[in-house]
Amino acid sequence: MKRIQFNYLLVGAVALLLALALWPAIPWHSNQNDPLDRILSRGELRISTLNSPLTYYTTQSGAGGLDYELAQRFAKYLGVKLVVTPRRSIDELFDDLDDQRADLIAAGLIYNTERLARFRAGPAYYSVSQQLVYRQGSVRPRNIDALKGRLAVASGSAYVSTLKQLKEGKHPDLAWESSSDLSTGELLQQVAEGKLPYSIGDSVTIGLQQRIHPQLAVAFDITEEEPVTWYFPRGSNDSLYAAMLDFFSQMVEDGSLARLEEKYLGHVGSFDYVDTRTFLAAIDSTLPALKPLFEKYARQIDWKLLAVIAYQESHWDPTATSPTGVRGLMMLTRATAAGLGVGDRLDAEQSIQGGALYLERLMAKVPETVPPDERIWFALAAYNMGYGHMLDARNLTKAQQGNPDSWVDVKQRLPMLSQRRYYAQTAYGYARGQEAYNYVENIRRYQASLVGYLEEREKKAAQQAALEAEYAVAYPAVTPAEALQP
């Protein structure tokens, strides 16, 4: 999967210059035709968005998503409360702008020139390419003219505009359906399940979907990389746009935007079809017996994260043994196990209890300057290669003018710990830094697969239960006595 690394310095410089140029001429409190003034007077920033693992979602521990966190920070920047309205379709999002039910759309939408006649686009915050997908195992189309079967895309999406341009250009016979009932994610799922031959999605969304639907395969890129932006109503007043420019400029300058992108997009990289299928099969066959133990001993992290750490270590094999002598589900060394009170490393419960305790101790040692939601990645790097080597990576990051408290900066230095010109300058010397890098990245990918797979399974179970309940009401059971009555 292809994704451009965001050029934060260039975008930040452009945003700052534009903001400085616009800011002096903009009255923040002018009149009710000023969109920013309305937001400030109301004390609320109202956004419309789409439910997805990338843009906006809710869990028992609260809301999350890249667009949600960005919007939350923008509201704080403005000094107002954030109000979120999730919608089912892109058309509904733009209806909210037309009817003044939302101040802006924050939903990971691709920049689309057709929308600019009625709406404005905010600054770009990452880039994607549009890709055509098909089901793994079926014939891969090499180009647009090789499509044989239905092609469906979400109504109101940028994909419709792209297909129109292709049809008006070199592909006059191109045909497709615009679905108003199914979202892009749902259409991609239909392709993975063999219910729809083709659809189009963006490279990041497809990469996330492949973690739970490995049958989803990319045939080819339809476009080059394109920016993803927010949208808001078009008007003569530039106050809201100027505020966005200044906000994003600050986010780039202090590294917040890079850290958010790392949090939500950092694990969307290379995709291994066989490995993902093997992992999903293990969720069904092996995880149920171990789940109670992960839930019991995962005190400081979610049990699903502890479970995928164990999978990365041993593939959930309690008898796993490495050539270096580490053993068990959590692959503990003899010395580490003794220090944790683990008498039998091959006992699943003892191993999970010891591994969880060891991870807790490492997290407690991570410097307090590291943000809470990033401490686990530093601790996992230490779990894999040793705490001292993790400190070396932090010191190397600082020496190279990076932020030693930012995982996105530190992880880039991990592979350097195996290069003499760098490890010669460190306190603890040579380390298999590339392995530690891969270790953490694999865990993050497995976590995305496990969380998404379990959520989808729960959703299907709820839908099935609802259908059965509806059927029971429509066709109530008849007792044998009632059946015998004339």
Side-chain angles (χ1 to χ4, degrees):
M1 189 209 72
K2 218 169 51 168
R3 179 172 61 84
I4 281 182
Q5 288 294 321
F6 200 71
N7 192 332
Y8 297 105
L9 293 178
L10 176 60
V11 172
V14 173
L16 181 60
L17 290 174
L18 286 171
L20 290 174
L22 290 169
W23 206 262
I26 297 168
W28 277 65
H29 300 277
S30 56
N31 53 58
Q32 288 303 306
N33 292 322
D34 181 343
L36 182 58
D37 187 69
R38 290 197 300 270
I39 294 170
L40 298 175
S41 298
R42 190 191 313 124
E44 294 179 345
L45 173 67
R46 304 171 307 174
I47 70 164
S48 287
T49 187
L50 299 172
N51 273 308
S52 84
L54 179 59
T55 56
Y56 171 73
Y57 59 85
T58 56
T59 64
Q60 292 181 346
S61 57
L66 175 57
D67 287 276
Y68 170 76
E69 288 206 38
L70 273 174
Q72 190 178 49
R73 295 182 187 212
F74 185 45
K76 183 178 181 180
Y77 164 86
L78 296 177
V80 298
K81 176 185 176 183
L82 179 66
V83 178
V84 181
T85 302
R87 298 297 186 190
R88 275 197 51 81
S89 70
I90 296 174
D91 289 331
E92 290 179 3
L93 297 179
F94 285 98
D95 287 343
D96 282 351
L97 288 188
D98 282 333
D99 298 335
Q100 298 185 1
R101 290 189 294 265
D103 301 305
L104 60 88
I105 296 171
L109 299 185
I110 297 172
Y111 180 86
N112 182 359
T113 55
E114 285 191 9
R115 296 172 178 150
L116 300 184
R118 295 164 49 214
F119 308 104
R120 292 192 70 171
Y125 48 105
Y126 67 97
S127 299
V128 296
S129 59
Q130 296 182 38
Q131 299 176 322
L132 187 130
V133 294
Y134 70 108
R135 179 180 166 84
Q136 185 81 30
S138 60
V139 177
R140 175 186 176 183
R142 298 292 175 177
N143 51 53
I144 287 292
D145 295 323
L147 299 184
K148 296 180 180 179
R150 291 172 55 225
L151 166 63
V153 296
S155 174
S157 66
Y159 317 128
V160 175
S161 300
T162 299
L163 291 171
K164 287 180 181 177
Q165 293 173 10
L166 291 171
K167 185 176 180 65
E168 292 169 359
K170 299 180 179 180
H171 309 280
D173 296 328
L174 177 62
W176 68 90
E177 303 170 13
S178 294
S179 174
S180 57
D181 298 327
L182 299 175
S183 66
T184 294
E186 290 167 332
L187 289 170
L188 295 178
Q189 182 176 338
Q190 286 211 346
V191 173
E193 294 174 350
K195 299 175 181 177
L196 176 68
Y198 311 111
S199 189
I200 299 175
D202 70 74
S203 50
V204 168
T205 299
I206 292 169
L208 290 171
Q209 284 279 343
Q210 286 177 317
R211 300 292 166 208
I212 53 177
H213 298 292
Q215 300 86 355
L216 190 67
V218 175
F220 53 85
D221 285 4
I222 293 181
T223 68
E224 297 296 326
E225 295 281 346
E226 302 171 304
V228 172
T229 70
W230 289 349
Y231 286 91
F232 56 101
R234 175 167 290 282
S236 57
N237 192 302
D238 286 325
S239 59
L240 182 57
Y241 184 56
M244 283 188 198
L245 286 173
D246 186 63
F247 165 71
F248 275 96
S249 176
Q250 290 184 22
M251 290 281 290
V252 170
E253 186 176 347
D254 65 16
S256 298
L257 189 57
R259 294 169 90 152
L260 276 180
E261 185 189 44
E262 166 63 25
K263 179 178 180 179
Y264 288 101
L265 307 179
H267 60 288
V268 185
S270 58
F271 169 68
D272 188 318
Y273 170 76
V274 175
D275 182 63
T276 305
R277 286 206 65 178
T278 301
F279 176 58
L280 296 180
I283 293 175
D284 290 328
S285 63
T286 310
L287 181 59
L290 297 171
K291 178 182 175 182
L293 297 177
F294 291 127
E295 291 177 321
K296 180 179 180 179
Y297 294 109
R299 291 177 288 265
Q300 294 187 11
I301 60 175
D302 184 79
W303 74 265
K304 292 181 283 292
L305 178 54
L306 183 60
V308 298
I309 294 170
Y311 186 84
Q312 171 63 25
E313 290 287 352
S314 65
H315 282 211
W316 293 331
D317 178 6
T319 64
T321 302
S322 82
T324 59
V326 293
R327 307 186 75 183
L329 270 170
M330 301 299 290
M331 297 298 271
L332 302 173
T333 65
R334 187 185 300 274
T336 300
L340 295 167
V342 175
D344 183 0
R345 288 182 289 167
L346 301 185
D347 178 81
E349 181 164 6
Q350 288 190 50
S351 184
I352 292 171
Q353 181 182 15
L357 179 58
Y358 183 46
L359 191 58
E360 288 174 8
R361 291 179 179 178
L362 288 172
M363 290 178 67
K365 290 174 65 177
V366 172
E368 294 183 357
T369 50
V370 174
D373 61 344
E374 296 188 31
R375 297 175 69 84
I376 181 62
W377 313 128
F378 286 82
L380 284 172
Y383 192 105
N384 178 260
M385 66 179 181
Y387 187 78
H389 294 304
M390 186 273 286
L391 293 181
D392 281 345
R394 280 173 48 83
N395 291 332
L396 185 59
T397 302
K398 185 177 181 180
Q400 295 182 351
Q401 309 303 313
N403 183 354
D405 296 328
S406 171
W407 177 246
V408 68
D409 283 2
V410 173
K411 79 171 189 176
Q412 296 172 22
R413 274 75 182 187
L414 292 177
M416 297 179 184
L417 297 179
S418 60
Q419 301 174 35
R420 177 177 290 276
R421 60 173 174 158
Y422 295 113
Y423 73 70
Q425 310 169 26
T426 65
Y428 293 90
Y430 173 86
R432 295 190 297 271
Q434 184 64 52
E435 288 186 21
Y437 176 94
N438 295 338
Y439 176 83
V440 178
E441 293 298 285
N442 286 342
I443 287 171
R444 297 182 67 189
R445 283 191 279 268
Y446 287 137
Q447 183 185 24
S449 292
L450 178 58
V451 171
Y453 187 74
L454 293 181
E455 286 179 352
E456 187 160 299
R457 203 164 65 179
E458 290 174 3
K459 186 190 302 182
K460 288 182 177 179
Q463 292 172 344
Q464 181 63 32
L467 286 174
E468 291 175 358
E470 183 179 339
Y471 183 86
V473 171
Y475 305 97
V478 178
T479 66
E482 291 173 330
L484 293 174
Q485 291 179 358

